[in-house]
Amino acid sequence: MKNSWTLLLTMLVCLSCGIDSDVLNYSSSTPIDEGLDILLLYPLNNTEVKDGTSISATESRLIFEWTNNGENDFSPYNLELVNLSNNDTVIYESVETMSAINLLRDVNYSWTVTGISNSKSETWLFYNIGPDYESNSPLPAIAISPVSGASISQTSTAVNLIWESEDGDDDIIGYDLYFGETEEPALLVSEITTSRYNDIPVEAGKTYYWKIVTKDSVGNESTSEVFNFSVG
């Protein structure tokens, strides 16, 4: 009888060990967060991001990447990007597990991805620094009207000055106009936002000189040659 009880106790212990082992195996193969169908890859969570492509002094372009947690395809995806400085939120749609997005520099962002069948990812945070940016200075302005050396009608009592300037970064923000009767004209008006200035008084028989200083958004400047025209 004693032997029978011993055998029964041994069997119960063995069965108990088997159950514990199965639970252990199951828990070790289960993701920590079982609700995540989409895994974010890049940009990494809680990092400063210096990668991407330079667009301007204030913007860069970054490729966001993620993957499916398993064999299911949850496309199309919605990537939700939040500017944490002002809470502006933009949704980007993608059928691929990546999306190229323009970002502001020196801004904290959060991002998360959702897909079909209520699939979702974690929300990750990052600070966008962007790659090193090399700015181009504006090209010196050229006179469009009147062209340098021109003679305008002696009956003219005012002149409209028109010029043109280019910048490889396309970030010209304004112009300073120098104008007068000497070959080193004085500043007439600053911070002009268009490439023309109208109704400048002139007199017959006089020669006038003018030049343009072109400014861009990062502080670069260029100065044109001194143009001239005569009245009559």
Side-chain angles (χ1 to χ4, degrees), residues 142-207:
I142 59 174
I144 300 299
S145 179
V147 296
S148 191
S151 177
I152 65 175
S153 173
Q154 64 178 355
T155 61
S156 299
T157 58
V159 67
N160 299 331
L161 299 181
I162 304 173
W163 60 91
E164 182 178 78
S165 186
E166 297 182 357
D167 188 295
D169 304 318
D170 195 25
D171 64 344
I172 294 174
I173 59 171
Y175 308 91
D176 293 345
L177 168 61
Y178 292 74
F179 183 88
E181 297 179 37
T182 65
E183 294 183 4
E184 291 294 333
L187 178 65
L188 177 66
V189 61
S190 61
E191 308 302 332
I192 304 170
T193 56
T194 61
S195 57
R196 68 181 296 149
Y197 196 77
N198 296 334
D199 300 323
I200 302 174
V202 294
E203 297 178 12
K206 291 186 176 182
T207 298

Side-chain angles (χ1 to χ4, degrees), residues 58-85:
T58 58
E59 286 187 291
S60 61
R61 188 170 182 82
L62 189 66
I63 297 178
F64 290 71
E65 300 179 53
W66 61 93
T67 189
N68 297 315
N69 186 10
E71 297 181 358
N72 292 329
D73 181 0
F74 297 111
S75 65
Y77 303 95
N78 286 327
L79 189 161
E80 179 181 287
L81 183 69
V82 181
N83 180 329
L84 297 178
S85 65

Side-chain angles (χ1 to χ4, degrees), residues 5-176:
W5 279 107
T6 301
L7 179 60
L8 179 60
L9 182 59
T10 302
M11 291 175 63
L12 289 173
V13 171
C14 290
L15 288 173
S16 176
C17 290
I19 293 172
D20 289 343
S21 177
D22 290 342
V23 171
L24 181 62
N25 289 336
Y26 175 80
S27 62
S28 65
S29 62
T30 302
I32 295 176
D33 188 336
E34 299 176 39
L36 296 179
D37 304 301
I38 300 171
L39 303 178
L40 303 183
L41 298 179
Y42 191 81
L44 298 176
N45 194 25
N46 294 320
T47 58
E48 292 184 345
V49 177
K50 300 180 181 179
D51 298 332
T53 303
S54 285
I55 297 176
S56 70
T58 58
E59 286 187 291
S60 61
R61 188 170 182 82
L62 189 66
I63 297 178
F64 290 71
E65 300 179 53
W66 61 93
T67 189
N68 297 315
N69 186 10
E71 297 181 358
N72 292 329
D73 181 0
F74 297 111
S75 65
Y77 303 95
N78 286 327
L79 189 161
E80 179 181 287
L81 183 69
V82 181
N83 180 329
L84 297 178
S85 65
N86 55 20
N87 289 322
D88 281 350
T89 302
V90 183
I91 305 296
Y92 299 89
E93 297 182 359
S94 177
V95 296
E96 306 292 338
T97 55
M98 64 173 58
S99 183
I101 299 174
N102 290 358
L103 304 172
L104 293 175
R105 293 175 180 265
D106 300 321
V107 171
N108 286 296
Y109 288 96
S110 71
W111 69 295
T112 187
V113 176
T114 58
I116 62 173
S117 304
N118 296 318
S119 56
K120 63 179 182 178
S121 73
E122 292 182 308
T123 297
W124 280 9
L125 311 176
F126 69 96
Y127 178 69
N128 183 53
I129 297 176
D132 292 338
Y133 175 69
E134 295 183 2
S135 176
N136 297 306
S137 295
L139 295 176
I142 59 174
I144 300 299
S145 179
V147 296
S148 191
S151 177
I152 65 175
S153 173
Q154 64 178 355
T155 61
S156 299
T157 58
V159 67
N160 299 331
L161 299 181
I162 304 173
W163 60 91
E164 182 178 78
S165 186
E166 297 182 357
D167 188 295
D169 304 318
D170 195 25
D171 64 344
I172 294 174
I173 59 171
Y175 308 91
D176 293 345

